């Protein structure tokens, strides 16, 4: 009877390195899952909607010593439309991002029924922020009790 006994020698250093690499691999996989997992974009709608006094409200936006009026049309419960009132061709040529930014913001404001949760294009971020402020001023005028 011959038995073939095999002796396996594991060095402690090899076990430690293997354990560290396995832990780092698991950590990397968890990190990648959290980074690239889709985010839930849910918007919270307030329980009591804002009440408006129906009408047309404007807010002036001053650019280069010329005023551009932002017009907001509201009904008693919702925002109907947002647009420029007197954007001349000269101003549109001087500020080419104004009209596209306003179209984008107007669609979002009507959809969201407010100025919270708006997204801006990276190229027109500051233009969009100025327009959002003007829209917000017009909406403050429209709110009941103001």
């Amino acid at each position: 009877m011959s038995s073939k006994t095999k002796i396996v020698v594991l060095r402690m250093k090899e076990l430690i390195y293997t354990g560290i690499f396995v832990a780092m691999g698991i950590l990397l996989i968890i990190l990648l899952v959290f980074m690239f997992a889709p985010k839930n974009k849910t918007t919270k709608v307030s329980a009591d909607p804002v009440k408006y006094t129906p009408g047309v409200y404007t807010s002036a936006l001053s650019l280069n010593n010329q005023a551009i009026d932002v017009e907001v049309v509201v009904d008693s419960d919702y925002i109907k439309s947002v647009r420029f009132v007197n954007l001349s061709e000269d101003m549109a040529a001087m500020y080419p991002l104004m009209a596209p930014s306003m179209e984008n913001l107007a669609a979002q404001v009507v959809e969201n029924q407010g100025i919270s949760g708006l997204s801006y294009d990276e190229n027109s971020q500051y233009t969009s922020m100025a327009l959002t402020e003007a829209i917000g001023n017009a909406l403050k005028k429209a709110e009941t009790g103001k």
Side-chain angles (χ1 to χ4, degrees), residues 121-139:
D121 185 22
E122 216 174 280
N123 297 329
S124 63
Q125 177 180 0
Y126 298 109
T127 304
S128 297
M129 287 178 8
L131 291 173
T132 302
E133 184 177 337
I135 294 168
N137 291 338
L139 287 174

Side-chain angles (χ1 to χ4, degrees), residues 31-126:
L31 179 68
L32 289 173
V33 166
F34 280 115
M35 284 178 57
F36 296 110
K39 309 280 188 283
N40 291 338
K41 294 184 179 179
T42 59
T43 57
K44 295 181 181 179
V45 179
S46 62
D48 48 338
V50 178
K51 298 292 184 185
Y52 300 111
T53 303
V56 178
Y57 297 91
T58 60
S59 176
L61 177 65
S62 179
L63 297 171
N64 201 18
N65 295 327
Q66 291 185 357
I68 300 173
D69 290 329
V70 175
E71 178 184 84
V72 178
V73 179
V74 295
D75 200 5
S76 62
D77 295 331
Y78 59 94
I79 302 168
K80 287 185 173 182
S81 68
V82 178
R83 67 182 184 102
F84 283 126
V85 176
N86 59 351
L87 181 63
S88 66
E89 290 182 18
D90 296 336
M91 289 301 287
M94 286 176 56
Y95 301 100
L97 296 177
M98 291 294 273
S101 296
M102 179 53 100
E103 290 173 9
N104 181 22
L105 289 175
Q108 290 183 50
V109 167
V110 171
E111 181 181 330
N112 295 345
Q113 290 299 303
I115 58 172
S116 61
L118 300 179
S119 62
Y120 307 127
D121 185 22
E122 216 174 280
N123 297 329
S124 63
Q125 177 180 0
Y126 298 109

